[in-house]
Amino acid sequence: VQWLVDFYTQRKVMKKYSSASELASEMRVQASVIESALEGGDALYVAVVTSALYTCAGGLTTGSDGKVLNSTGQPIEGLFAAGEATSAPFQKLWSVSGIPLLYSICSGRTAGRTVAAALSKNGSSTQDLRDIIIGIMTKPDVVATAAIEEEKKPDEKPLEEMSKEELIAKVKDLKANGPPAAPVDDGPKGISMDEVKKHNTKEDAWLVINGDVIDVTKWIPIHPGGEQAVVAYLGQDASDEWNMIHKAGTIEKNLVPEGGNGPVLKGKLGGAAAPVAAAAAAGGNGAAAPTGLTLDDVAKHNKESDLWVVVNGRAYDVTKWLQVHPGGVQAITAYAGKDATDEWNCIHKPGTIEKNLFPGNPNGPVDMGVVSGVAPSSAPPVPIDDDKPAPDGNGGIPGILGAIIFLALNVVLMLL
């Protein structure tokens, strides 16, 4: 937790003392009082407690449906309020822990439903917030995918059907502009999420982890965490759940060739470039080639609808991530269009942004490239789990010989 206490110390929420005596001197108490409650004489990190406003209740009076009432008790058309902006209906309970938050949630939902109903009457389409959140969490491929319509070019006449004037115009165009460029091969398109969904049985099992499509059919019976932990995500993107439980590099070290008893890499989801390949293209030993981005370019993207930040010398588009960020919207918007490296590294462990990148996380940050004039990452490298992978099979010696050796071994262990 050193990085955490350092963060709070820098922001003067905590204070570092070299000894209990130094703390006692500032608190104006006997050193023995503090020393008796502590073990050892190392440096101390102490939280500074400051009196602050717990909560407040505003002066707006509302009805049971969240509509704001005027001085005569009549609802004001089109005006709604909830939470601390309203006068709490139970003043004696307001100071009880949890009551202000509970009231804010309940009154907010009530007012929200009333607003939605009012919009529906005006012909606007509405959607329950729960359905939106559940849709994001369970169908990220649908939420994150935007339809791209290609511009249709008019069909060109064959040369034999052109008139003399059209042929002359064609020749002049070729002389002036040269021949049309040959179509660029974008390489393999990768595996679609629809294809992954087809492989959702124990006999034919695929899932997605951090942008990689993995065949886990033969891995299910020998998975250390049990079959159900894998079966629950067949045909789905399991990146979030996987990253919460496993160390970085776990899936990579267990990959086996086609036909082996382990996870088999089938390809990239949607044709995304592999992280290793991207790093190599960026410049060999991990130093990325300049992309032409500057801090001025990043500063232009400073709205919730188009939001970039800089972390460790790279620009990230966090527009979609903003709404699902565990730390809340404000934690990101405070650094919209700015370099957030210091704040990010104080709060997050190394590798956090890398493991949440798009397309592994469909609503995650998008790496836009290196920002010139900004210092690269000074954070320590991401810890990689370098334990050796488990051998194929159950590790036992087959047949009668194996049974005899196993029995003898256990008898010896019992005697010892």
Side-chain angles (χ1 to χ4, degrees), residues 264-337:
V264 178
L265 178 62
K266 304 300 291 185
K268 305 300 289 186
L269 180 67
V276 175
N285 58 2
T291 59
L293 287 175
T294 65
L295 275 176
D296 290 338
D297 295 328
V298 176
K300 298 174 183 176
H301 305 270
N302 58 0
K303 301 177 181 177
E304 284 195 24
S305 58
D306 178 24
L307 201 156
W308 290 16
V309 295
V310 176
V311 176
N312 297 325
R314 301 190 71 86
Y316 295 95
D317 182 345
V318 293
T319 308
K320 286 184 178 178
W321 200 36
L322 189 66
Q323 304 303 326
V324 296
H325 178 238
V329 174
Q330 186 59 38
I332 297 181
T333 55
Y335 299 97

Side-chain angles (χ1 to χ4, degrees), residues 53-58 82-86 88-108:
L53 182 66
Y54 167 58
T55 181
C56 65
E84 293 185 343
T86 67
F90 27 77
Q91 299 290 343
K92 292 183 178 180
L93 287 175
W94 194 252
S95 62
V96 177
S97 177
I99 291 297
L101 177 61
L102 179 62
Y103 173 71
S104 296
I105 293 173
C106 292
S107 61

Side-chain angles (χ1 to χ4, degrees), residues 46-268:
V46 180
V48 181
V49 179
T50 306
S51 299
L53 182 66
Y54 167 58
T55 181
C56 65
L60 294 177
T61 304
T62 58
S64 59
D65 55 359
K67 293 181 178 179
V68 177
L69 307 180
N70 60 21
S71 58
T72 61
Q74 298 300 313
I76 301 174
E77 193 64 32
L79 186 60
F80 307 86
E84 293 185 343
T86 67
S87 55
F90 27 77
Q91 299 290 343
K92 292 183 178 180
L93 287 175
W94 194 252
S95 62
V96 177
S97 177
I99 291 297
L101 177 61
L102 179 62
Y103 173 71
S104 296
I105 293 173
C106 292
S107 61
R109 289 178 175 175
T110 300
R113 292 192 187 98
T114 307
V115 172
L119 291 173
S120 298
K121 290 180 181 179
N122 295 332
S124 302
S125 60
T126 61
Q127 187 176 359
D128 194 298
L129 179 60
R130 289 173 298 178
D131 294 337
I132 296 174
I133 295 175
I134 292 172
I136 292 174
M137 300 304 292
T138 58
K139 297 180 180 179
D141 56 304
V142 176
V143 175
T145 302
I148 301 174
E149 297 182 359
E150 294 184 359
E151 183 182 353
K152 293 184 178 180
K153 296 181 180 180
D155 294 334
E156 203 172 75
K157 279 185 180 181
L159 294 177
E160 57 271 17
E161 296 181 9
M162 289 185 179
S163 65
K164 179 180 177 181
E165 290 75 16
E166 288 173 333
L167 285 171
I168 293 173
K170 179 71 174 178
V171 172
K172 288 181 178 179
D173 179 61
L174 289 173
K175 284 184 176 180
N177 303 314
V184 178
D185 183 9
D186 293 329
K189 300 301 181 184
I191 302 170
S192 68
M193 199 66 201
D194 289 336
E195 179 63 28
V196 175
K197 290 177 181 178
K198 298 175 184 177
H199 305 268
N200 58 5
T201 64
K202 287 178 65 174
E203 295 73 28
D204 180 20
W206 289 13
L207 49 78
V208 177
I209 297 177
N210 298 328
D212 290 329
V213 178
I214 312 289
D215 183 345
V216 294
T217 307
K218 292 190 177 182
W219 200 34
I220 291 176
I222 60 174
H223 178 242
E227 294 187 4
Q228 190 56 39
V230 180
V231 172
Y233 298 98
L234 297 186
Q236 304 174 45
D237 190 329
S239 300
D240 290 342
E241 292 75 10
W242 177 271
N243 291 332
M244 284 191 292
I245 300 171
H246 301 87
K247 295 180 181 179
T250 301
I251 191 69
E252 290 81 3
K253 74 168 188 180
N254 282 286
L255 290 176
V256 299
E258 195 79 39
N261 289 330
V264 178
L265 178 62
K266 304 300 291 185
K268 305 300 289 186

